[in-house]
Amino acid sequence: MPTRTFFNLPDEKRKKLLEAIYGEFSRVPFGEVSINRIIKAAGIPRGSFYQYFNGKQDMLQYLTSDYRQMLKNKTLLSLKQNGGDLFKVFLEILDFSYAFVTEEKNNTFFRNIFSDIRINTDLFQQQNCDGSLGQLTGELLPYIDMDLLDIRGEEDFGNMLEIILSLTGEAFAKAFLDISSYENSRRQYAAQLELLKRGFRKAKRGEA
Amino acid sequence: MPTRTFFNLPDEKRKKLLEAIYGEFSRVPFGEVSINRIIKAAGIPRGSFYQYFNGKQDMLQYLTSDYRQMLKNKTLLSLKQNGGDLFKVFLEILDFSYAFVTEEKNNTFFRNIFSDIRINTDLFQQQNCDGSLGQLTGELLPYIDMDLLDIRGEEDFGNMLEIILSLTGEAFAKAFLDISSYENSRRQYAAQLELLKRGFRKAKRGEA
DNA sequence: CCGAGATGTGACACCGTGTCACAATTCGCG
DNA sequence: CGCGAATTGTGACACGGTGTCACATCTCGG
């Protein structure tokens, strides 16, 4: 998170800085973002920058906070609309994010973000450090219809979720790296979700 | 791949350089590998290094070529031993890699490699650029028993493979980031493979 | 109007990369 | 052997990036 000092900045100046940051994040993938260029574009001295932000990661988190909030709301809504069907929700998340990306201003910015697989894992799995499900997931849990899932053991749900998330992370990376083939990536992702649902193993005759 | 010049180097010198490289790759994760430190440790001038390698990625590919070869052999063997059962094979690949990592010399080196999710995707999916399955997979294809898999559409197999690979990439990253909890990560990975096999969706009464 | 605390500033130390003109060596051949 | 060409070695250089710190400036309550 940015410093308090950052939020105390006169609107004018803060806006200019933010625009510089957006510009830089839109220009190159995360790994190549240069604080040097940002401060030059914003016309602020080097020292000031570090009074506002702690580094790249810090900026990223701030820049994506709106999206994360919207994603959460959207997910909640989607869960309710789809009767707690996780699979439909995940596909809608991709669509939602696509719509979000293709909005004027976000065009290259979120493409650069979403096409970075490492960021995606962070983005979705969110401070999942204690081994338990992330905070986000925790809040959504009550709305998920577990009866749709074939859960047998204690950890089945968590494991399913991890699979879906890792798949989703890759799907995002692929879809947004070359957004012109979005339809294709989406179709593939949808197909993969179906595969997850029905299982990979061919049932032998006589099995359930 | 390194230059011809590199292979023409006197054994003494080449060995010293390789040791410096291994040392550096063992010391820090890939992203922090410094060519500066390598040349200092190897006692060669900067210019020479660039006469041998093209950069970090180049070194990585060379350093992992043995592993990749062994992996391929191992996979082939495992496929035959397990009657073409992909799932058993993948679990064995994790075990094989664990054994490989815990060999004396490879200890931190391969840990640093395997715990990098981006490298893993490259490592497994290997020049998968044309959208088709990677070369490696192509050669293994004949040994996979498709009758064990519930393949219905044209693209089902490719999609299954992608799911397994993305899951495997994450499993590697997790397992080797904190190798002390390997047993745990392995168990989880195994459980997830089982989930893939049986499917996530609860069969409604009356369904197949 | 003064002084303390908040904020602004940019030079500095440090580390990294890839290149290039030039030096040294090796090798084939007359 | 001797010489020229090809290969290899060398390190200074230009460039770019990061985070910090001593010092300047501003702001605002008392």
Side-chain angles (χ1 to χ4, degrees):
Chain A
M1 259 209 308
T3 340
R4 195 166 31 76
T5 316
F6 172 74
F7 294 108
N8 290 340
L9 244 38
D11 285 7
E12 178 78 15
K13 195 172 177 181
R14 199 176 56 244
K15 195 180 156 198
K16 193 171 178 190
L17 173 52
L18 275 176
E19 266 165 19
I21 296 178
Y22 268 107
E24 177 66 5
F25 275 81
S26 301
R27 208 177 60 81
V28 288
F30 181 72
E32 288 162 44
V33 161
S34 155
I35 291 169
N36 258 358
R37 275 189 294 259
I38 290 174
I39 62 178
K40 208 182 296 176
I44 64 169
R46 187 160 195 75
S48 294
F49 175 86
Y50 284 97
Q51 215 138 22
Y52 309 145
F53 293 96
N54 268 327
K56 290 183 195 179
Q57 202 67 41
D58 196 17
M59 280 187 284
L60 181 66
Q61 220 162 318
Y62 179 64
L63 292 176
T64 58
S65 55
D66 280 356
Y67 166 75
R68 288 206 313 269
Q69 186 56 46
M70 289 173 71
L71 180 64
K72 190 172 152 184
N73 296 339
K74 173 63 191 168
T75 306
L76 211 63
L77 182 67
S78 178
L79 263 175
K80 287 174 183 170
Q81 286 175 343
N82 289 296
D85 183 339
L86 258 192
F87 291 93
K88 288 184 184 158
V89 170
F90 270 98
L91 196 57
E92 284 194 7
I93 282 177
L94 187 70
D95 284 332
F96 164 72
S97 301
Y98 176 73
F100 195 72
V101 163
T102 48
E103 271 174 27
E104 229 103 343
K105 279 191 61 178
N106 296 329
N107 195 334
T108 45
F109 175 73
F110 273 101
R111 268 190 48 203
N112 281 337
I113 303 300
F114 288 153
S115 61
D116 187 313
I117 186 146
R118 240 190 209 123
I119 293 180
N120 287 344
T121 29
D122 281 10
L123 210 58
F124 293 136
Q125 300 186 12
Q126 236 180 342
Q127 74 235 44
N128 188 343
C129 45
D130 55 353
S132 77
L133 305 169
Q135 187 196 347
L136 181 84
T137 323
E139 293 182 41
L140 300 177
L141 209 57
Y143 298 95
I144 298 171
D145 183 355
M146 294 293 178
D147 284 342
L148 295 174
L149 301 170
D150 184 10
I151 291 174
R152 302 179 192 178
E154 182 69 25
E155 294 166 338
D156 278 0
F157 177 70
N159 280 333
M160 287 182 190
L161 203 60
E162 260 196 38
I163 293 172
I164 301 182
L165 285 175
S166 96
L167 183 63
T168 305
E170 297 232 0
F172 263 67
K174 203 185 307 170
F176 292 108
L177 191 61
D178 174 16
I179 204 161
S180 71
S181 66
Y182 174 77
E183 272 309 319
N184 230 32
S185 302
R186 183 195 189 277
R187 191 174 14 248
Q188 197 184 353
Y189 179 59
Q192 289 177 330
L193 287 175
E194 284 304 314
L195 287 176
L196 288 185
K197 276 203 272 192
R198 82 168 191 233
F200 292 7
R201 180 184 44 195
K202 178 176 277 178
K204 291 175 193 150
R205 273 179 304 155
E207 275 194 357
Chain B
M1 259 206 310
T3 338
R4 195 166 32 76
T5 315
F6 172 74
F7 294 108
N8 290 338
L9 244 37
D11 285 6
E12 179 77 15
K13 195 172 176 182
R14 198 177 55 246
K15 196 180 156 199
K16 193 170 177 192
L17 174 52
L18 274 176
E19 266 164 19
I21 296 178
Y22 268 107
E24 177 67 6
F25 274 81
S26 301
R27 208 179 59 82
V28 288
F30 180 72
E32 286 161 45
V33 161
S34 156
I35 292 169
N36 258 358
R37 275 188 295 257
I38 291 175
I39 61 177
K40 208 181 297 176
I44 65 170
R46 188 159 194 74
S48 294
F49 175 85
Y50 284 98
Q51 215 139 23
Y52 308 145
F53 293 96
N54 267 327
K56 291 182 195 179
Q57 202 66 41
D58 197 16
M59 281 187 283
L60 181 68
Q61 221 162 318
Y62 179 63
L63 292 176
T64 58
S65 56
D66 280 356
Y67 166 76
R68 288 205 313 269
Q69 187 56 47
M70 291 174 69
L71 180 64
K72 190 171 152 183
N73 296 338
K74 172 65 191 164
T75 306
L76 211 61
L77 182 68
S78 178
L79 263 175
K80 287 173 184 169
Q81 285 176 343
N82 289 295
D85 183 338
L86 258 192
F87 292 93
K88 288 184 184 156
V89 170
F90 270 97
L91 195 57
E92 284 193 7
I93 283 177
L94 187 69
D95 284 332
F96 164 72
S97 301
Y98 176 74
F100 194 74
V101 164
T102 48
E103 272 175 28
E104 229 102 343
K105 279 190 59 177
N106 295 330
N107 195 332
T108 45
F109 174 73
F110 273 102
R111 267 190 48 204
N112 281 338
I113 303 300
F114 289 154
S115 61
D116 188 313
I117 185 146
R118 240 188 210 125
I119 294 180
N120 287 345
T121 29
D122 281 10
L123 209 59
F124 294 136
Q125 300 187 12
Q126 233 179 346
Q127 75 235 45
N128 187 342
C129 44
D130 56 353
S132 78
L133 304 170
Q135 188 196 349
L136 181 84
T137 322
E139 294 181 40
L140 300 177
L141 209 56
Y143 298 96
I144 298 172
D145 183 355
M146 293 294 178
D147 284 342
L148 295 174
L149 300 171
D150 183 10
I151 292 175
R152 302 180 190 178
E154 182 70 24
E155 293 165 338
D156 278 0
F157 177 71
N159 280 333
M160 287 182 189
L161 203 61
E162 260 196 37
I163 292 173
I164 301 182
L165 285 175
S166 97
L167 184 62
T168 305
E170 298 233 358
F172 263 68
K174 204 185 306 171
F176 293 109
L177 191 61
D178 174 17
I179 204 160
S180 72
S181 67
Y182 175 78
E183 273 308 321
N184 229 32
S185 301
R186 184 194 188 278
R187 193 175 9 249
Q188 197 184 354
Y189 180 59
Q192 289 177 331
L193 288 176
E194 285 304 315
L195 287 177
L196 288 184
K197 277 203 271 191
R198 84 167 190 233
F200 293 6
R201 182 185 41 195
K202 179 175 276 178
K204 291 175 192 149
R205 275 179 303 157
E207 274 192 359

